[in-house]
């Protein structure tokens, strides 16, 4: 594995301590341009621990200079020449300290660790010339960790230590026959946070860097082959994945190694291939290759888990996902660790597999882990709500109140808009009403909440009027639902007249008219079917379900929609009816997917014998995708020993003819 010593080849240097009397002086340096939003945070994170602050301004037009001066910084001006190294070296020339702390304006010492600077430096051996710090790249908007990397941000003030390269500048030690010896600081002593890769600023920076890099490459390709990587990284941020693949391949062909970004070379290549929809086996080859190079890095095991999960190899995916978690928890190498930005996907994967294994308690724990990292993680929220929606309403509200701040507008917006998609109308009403009192909105959430709670007279006219003005298909769906559930003839006539023909046809048929549905009507029926499952009473549901007779697979359509909403008992009833219907039609064979869905519902209802019987029928009818082996394996141990069913299941699992 790469380590700090092996990558940088640090050796003992002869850099002397400049003061032997113990009066060590620390200079904090920075270059800045239009950083008024973040510069104070940076300076305040170390201001009390340093002796002077040097800010080199490269052309600010905002309050950057005034803020820096107000915090005691000495401000110098440097005419920008498209060269970050030159500007930083100018700052070094102004510094008088024994040690330099060089942060960018959008970096800062986190958790008050900047206060440890002086005591940390005093403890260092005299031969140590630099300090590498752990850095968390954070998204400032969401607060999420993007990745973790290690950078040298502290070093001795020595004329032989200077920055090189106009963009993506790095430190070098020019003393002949010696290299800079660095100490890696424990994250508890010194930790830096960086917000420069936040989504709201990263594309602007990537475009700036790309322009500079392409210009440099015109004259300096052979001298700096690492530019290939930095160009690829810029294109990755900008979403031009074809160029990412091109430039990463060019970089790999050079054989050059980067200080702490070699993992990222492979990760952005894999990401680009995924976005370009390369064949799965080609992407998996890249993943396996990266694992061979970095066997202790967590990221590539996550990628492997994702591929296995997508291929319905759930047990194997579980093993790789857990390995990724364990490696992350103990990861101490200086190579960049991109796994944190994938934690939401990782926890959702583990939660889904837990559900597949009928372990709802574990699934809830994983979804909660995802929401603790990002409380606006929509998929985790949706899956968690389906698992807890049958709990008492006051318990659901109490639980959500531990995750979300009722005085936070964004939190209330998320709850109101997300709960619209779940069959908990009273909980939706609670948060929507709270939001309207504190932060009134002109949106459709309130109208949908009224429909969900049966307040059709208060919602219908406004819904229809909004649809006529906006033409939003989502409004058409909710308007049609309100008209049908209201039982109001006038509403029905108005909706039939104003809504798209597909919804009008469904409403006509719902009223009892004879209507022949086409494919467009089928798509609308599927959507309105979901809103009925969420909001309608049993009588209204049954009335709508009867319209499914017009579709050859109408029973399966209803069963599928119940399954999607996690209503496995209801889904099973419709899939079983679909099987019986197919068996009764002697000219039709039962589609293997019907047996499979029967088995899945029975599995989720913890009926292993009936589930195994259905899965065996699906297998024998031709359904042999990977997931059926997983479900049979999970149910095999629960089957009676020595039974013919268990023998048959084991033969299928182990592919015995």
């Amino acid at each position: 594995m790469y380590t700090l010593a092996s990558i940088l080849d640090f050796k003992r240097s002869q850099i002397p301590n400049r003061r032997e009397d113990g009066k060590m002086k620390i200079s904090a340096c920075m270059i800045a341009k239009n950083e008024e939003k973040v510069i104070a945070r940076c300076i305040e994170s170390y201001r009390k621990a340093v002796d002077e602050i040097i800010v080199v301004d490269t052309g600010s037009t905002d309050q950057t200079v005034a803020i820096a001066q107000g915090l005691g910084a000495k401000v110098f001006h440097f005419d920008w020449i498209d060269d970050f190294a030159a500007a930083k070296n100018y700052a070094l020339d102004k510094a008088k300290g024994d040690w330099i702390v060089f942060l960018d304006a959008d970096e800062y010492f986190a958790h008050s660790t900047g206060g440890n600077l002086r005591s940390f430096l005093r403890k260092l051996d005299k031969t140590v010339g630099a300090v590498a710090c752990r850095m968390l790249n954070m998204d400032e908007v969401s607060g999420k960790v993007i990745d973790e990397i290690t950078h040298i941000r502290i070093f001795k003030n020595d004329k032989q230590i200077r920055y090189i390269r106009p963009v993506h500048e790095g430190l070098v030690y020019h003393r002949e026959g010696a290299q800079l010896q660095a100490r890696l600081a424990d994250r508890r002593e010194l930790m830096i946070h960086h917000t420069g890769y936040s989504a709201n600023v990263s594309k602007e920076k990537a475009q700036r860097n790309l322009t500079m890099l392409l210009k440099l490459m015109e004259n300096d390709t052979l001298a700096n082959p690492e530019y290939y990587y930095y160009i690829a990284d810029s294109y990755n941020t900008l979403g031009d994945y074809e160029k990412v693949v091109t430039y990463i391949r060019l970089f790999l062909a050079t054989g050059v190694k980067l200080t702490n970004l070699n993992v990222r070379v492979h990760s952005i290549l894999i990401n680009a291939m995924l976005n370009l929809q390369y064949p799965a086996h080609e992407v998996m080859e890249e993943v396996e290759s990266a694992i061979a190079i970095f066997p202790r890095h967590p990221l590539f095991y996550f990628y492997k888990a994702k591929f296995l999960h997508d291929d319905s190899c759930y047990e194997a995916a579980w093993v790789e996902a857990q390995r990724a978690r364990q490696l992350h928890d103990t990861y101490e190498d200086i190579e960049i660790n991109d796994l944190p930005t994938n934690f939401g996907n990782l926890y959702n994967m583990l939660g889904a597999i837990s559900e597949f294994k009928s372990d709802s308690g574990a699934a809830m724990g994983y979804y909660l882990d995802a929401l603790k990292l990002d409380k606006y993680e929509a998929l985790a929220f949706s899956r968690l709500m389906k698992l807890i929606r049958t709990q008492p309403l006051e318990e659901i509200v109490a639980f959500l109140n531990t995750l979300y701040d009722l005085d936070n507008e964004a939190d209330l917006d998320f709850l109101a808009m997300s709960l619209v998609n779940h069959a908990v109308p009273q909980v939706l009403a609670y948060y929507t009403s709270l939001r309207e009192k504190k932060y009134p909105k002109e949106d459709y959430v309130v109208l949908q909440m009224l429909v969900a709670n049966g307040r059709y007279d208060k919602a219908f006219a406004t819904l229809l009027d909004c649809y006529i003005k906006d033409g939003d298909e989502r409004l058409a769906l909710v308007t049609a639902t309100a008209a049908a559930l209201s039982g109001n003839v006038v509403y029905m006539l108005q909706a039939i007249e104003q809504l798209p023909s597909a919804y009008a046809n469904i409403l006509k048929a719902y009223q009892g008219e004879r209507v022949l549905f086409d494919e467009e009507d089928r798509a609308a029926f599927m959507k309105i079917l979901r809103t009925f499952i969420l909001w309608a009473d049993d009588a209204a549901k049954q009335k709508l379900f009867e319209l499914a007779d017009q579709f050859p697979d109408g029973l399966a359509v209803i069963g599928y929609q119940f399954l999607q909403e996690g209503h496995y008992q209801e889904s099973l009833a419709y899939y079983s009816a679909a099987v019986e219907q197919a068996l009764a039609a002697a000219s039709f064979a039962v589609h293997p997917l019907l047996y499979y869905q029967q088995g899945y519902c029975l599995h989720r209802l913890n009926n292993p014998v009936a589930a195994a019987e259905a899965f065996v029928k699906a297998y024998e009818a031709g359904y042999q995708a990977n997931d059926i082996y997983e479900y049979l394996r999970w149910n095999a141990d629960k089957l009676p020993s020595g039974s013919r069913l268990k023998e048959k299941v084991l033969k299928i699992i182990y592919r015995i003819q």
Side-chain angles (χ1 to χ4, degrees), residues 413-434:
D413 279 345
F414 176 79
L415 286 170
M417 289 185 284
S418 299
L419 288 166
V420 161
N421 298 311
H422 294 280
V424 283
Q426 290 168 289
V427 177
L428 170 62
Y430 171 77
Y431 287 109
T432 303
S433 299
L434 194 59

Side-chain angles (χ1 to χ4, degrees), residues 339-384:
L339 186 61
T341 195
N342 293 293
F343 272 147
N345 291 328
L346 180 67
Y347 287 130
N348 276 322
M349 185 193 308
L350 291 169
I353 297 173
S354 296
E355 284 199 72
F356 296 155
K357 296 166 77 169
S358 297
D359 191 346
S360 296
M364 286 191 282
Y366 287 120
Y367 298 143
L368 185 57
D369 285 340
L371 290 171
K372 286 178 179 177
L373 288 171
D374 178 4
K375 58 185 173 181
Y376 304 140
E377 210 327 292
L379 182 58
F381 181 88
S382 178
R383 289 175 172 176
L384 185 59

Side-chain angles (χ1 to χ4, degrees), residues 439-634:
Y439 311 103
K441 307 276 183 178
E442 291 187 5
D443 59 20
Y444 309 139
V445 174
V446 174
L447 298 174
Q448 293 178 86
M449 180 274 291
L450 291 171
V451 175
N453 283 275
R455 307 293 294 276
Y456 312 117
D457 291 340
K458 287 185 172 292
F460 177 78
T462 305
L463 277 168
L464 185 60
D465 184 56
C466 289
Y467 168 73
I468 292 170
K469 291 178 180 177
D470 295 355
D472 191 321
E473 196 272 342
R474 293 170 298 176
L475 281 172
L477 170 61
V478 181
T479 305
T481 302
L485 294 179
S486 72
N488 187 310
V489 176
V490 174
Y491 292 170
M492 291 286 281
L493 292 175
Q494 290 177 336
I496 289 169
E497 181 180 349
Q498 297 291 342
L499 296 183
S501 60
Y503 289 111
N505 287 338
I506 293 168
L507 293 177
K508 289 174 184 178
Y510 188 77
Q511 282 185 313
E513 291 187 36
R514 189 171 182 80
V515 179
L516 294 176
F517 291 152
D518 58 21
E519 281 303 309
E520 188 176 341
D521 299 333
R522 175 193 172 91
F525 178 79
M526 291 283 287
K527 293 175 183 177
I528 204 169
L529 180 63
R530 181 173 183 272
T531 60
F532 267 57
I533 288 174
L534 290 177
W535 302 333
D537 59 29
D538 290 341
K541 287 177 188 174
Q542 190 56 44
K543 187 176 177 181
L544 181 72
F545 294 167
E546 290 171 0
L547 303 183
D549 290 343
Q550 289 206 39
F551 307 119
D553 59 345
L555 293 172
V557 166
I558 299 173
Y560 176 77
Q561 196 61 65
F562 270 120
L563 187 147
Q564 291 296 103
E565 295 304 315
H567 297 292
Y568 301 112
Q569 194 67 58
E570 293 85 348
S571 179
L572 176 62
Y574 280 95
Y575 275 119
S576 297
V579 168
E580 293 301 319
Q581 186 182 69
L583 290 171
S587 58
F588 292 97
V590 177
H591 195 286
L593 187 58
L594 293 178
Y595 285 132
Y596 171 82
Q597 299 289 38
Q598 257 190 317
Y600 180 77
C601 291
L602 288 161
H603 171 75
R604 295 301 298 267
L605 292 167
N606 295 310
N607 189 337
V609 173
E613 289 173 343
F615 284 134
V616 168
K617 289 178 182 177
Y619 178 84
E620 292 175 340
Y623 187 96
Q624 296 180 17
N626 288 330
D627 52 356
I628 199 167
Y629 302 106
E630 303 283 63
Y631 290 120
L632 285 170
R633 188 178 295 109
W634 290 331

